[in-house]
Amino acid sequence: MNFDFNETQTMFRDMVRDFAKQEIAPIAQQMDEEGTMPDELIAKMAANGFFGLSFPEQYGGLGVDTITYALVIEELAKASAGVCVMLTVHNSVGSYPLAMYGSEEAKQKYLPRMAAGEIAAFCITEAGAGSDAASLAATAQKDGDEYVLNGGKIFVTNGSRAAFYVVMARTPGTTGHKDIHAFIVERGTEGLSVAKKEDKMGLRASDTVSIDLEDVRVPASHLLGNEGDGFRIAMSALDGGRIGIAFQALGIGQACLEEAIKYGKVREQFGKPLTRQPVIGNMIADMGTELESARLMGLKAAWLKDEGRSFSKQAAMAKVMATEAAGRAADSALQIHGGYGYCKEFAVERYYRDVRVTRIYEGTSEIQRLVIARQLVSEF
Ligand SMILES: Cc1cc2nc3c(=O)[nH]c(=O)nc-3n(C[C@H](O)[C@H](O)[C@H](O)COP(=O)(O)OP(=O)(O)OC[C@H]3O[C@@H](n4cnc5c(N)ncnc54)[C@H](O)[C@@H]3O)c2cc1C
């Protein structure tokens, strides 16, 4: 067993760390306040290949392995969790279904554009279908060489900026997961419109919107996989996506740890710095220990994926562990900052808001535990 990263993994991590420090961290607070992300930043990230991280070089991507991808996500999240979620949704659930299951025609047409910075979004959640995604009601009616989509999607990350939407919809009149199909739909297709934008607690740089689909016609070549594969495609995209969310949470948690130490070294009470007060030292030790154990679990899930082995249980375990450890780290970091931690002047206030959703999206902690328990029970 070898715990060292290889040369490519280290090179990518360091390159993204430098980029994030120079280009993202200085404007993270401003993006949070304004609730948006500058187009110039998106263009710079595209020029550095951030939009084609995981898909093959033949389509304009960088084709990095999952471990490299995880390291990149952690570095981005340390600087801005909002920028990070835009990229992780684009690279995992947004473009992976097309890269893995798209027709050659659709891959050649769209993946190079995605790699060049045209953003992808993923639409499964509906008002009546959240954790129970298989109960989705949007419909896809076959009509000659086309499908006609109708319905409404909510909580679509990247929804107002996206050029492409992966949309899950079912044959009218069916229930359950077997008649769900996945499609790639281009922005500008008649009948697809962006509705309500959510006013969120955190991740404010990233947009989250509802999408309405009214008689949206897509060619049959935009079906991903075969008819009825939609739910399986969505679940396999989410398995990989969960590794990304685990590392997003770890990035926020690591930023909390570093800010807490920095602040604790200069803030003196009772005649000495906070970091030399045993109770604060214990909090720092727990933060570091929990984050490190979650990171190892996440890396194992990423390694299993790269080896082509089953990784669903480990991805769910890593997501639970990392998101909950990062939540505790944000709480401790804020506590170590005392009253200042409650003020927007200090970054921990933003981290505390940003980290909360990592226990909710791409499957809540409760749903991850269902997945883990189901697999464990079947193993023994
Ligand atoms: C900022 C943000 C971005 C998002 N981005 C996207 C996106 O890009 N694309 C997309 O499709 N979706 C997206 N989502 C949706 C997200 O994946 C869902 O919110 C999530 O899956 C939970 O669904 P829900 O909100 O409907 O909660 P519900 O399913 O209604 O759950 C409510 C509560 O009940 C619990 N619960 C439900 N069922 C069970 C059970 N059987 N046992 C125990 N507890 C249970 C849940 O864990 C949760 O605590 C996003 C959400 C947010 C907030």
Side-chain angles (χ1 to χ4, degrees), residues 8 12 49 51-66 68-69 91 115 306:
T8 313
F12 265 99
F51 282 84
L53 285 169
S54 330
F55 49 83
E57 289 169 70
Q58 71 183 107
Y59 302 109
L62 295 176
V64 304
D65 62 17
T66 315
T68 308
Y69 175 72
N91 274 290
D306 286 336

Side-chain angles (χ1 to χ4, degrees), residues 89 93 122-127 129-132 154-157 200 203 208 357 360-367 370:
V89 166
V93 290
F122 175 79
C123 314
I124 190 165
T125 307
E126 300 178 359
S131 299
D132 182 12
I154 62 166
F155 292 144
V156 180
T157 299
K200 304 193 301 296
L203 300 186
T208 312
V357 76
I360 296 173
Y361 57 25
E362 300 212 13
T364 64
S365 287
E366 292 74 28
I367 297 304
L370 286 179

Side-chain angles (χ1 to χ4, degrees), residues 277-291:
Q277 317 274 359
V279 173
I280 303 292
N282 284 351
M283 286 163 82
I284 288 171
D286 284 348
M287 288 161 82
T289 306
E290 290 193 12
L291 292 172

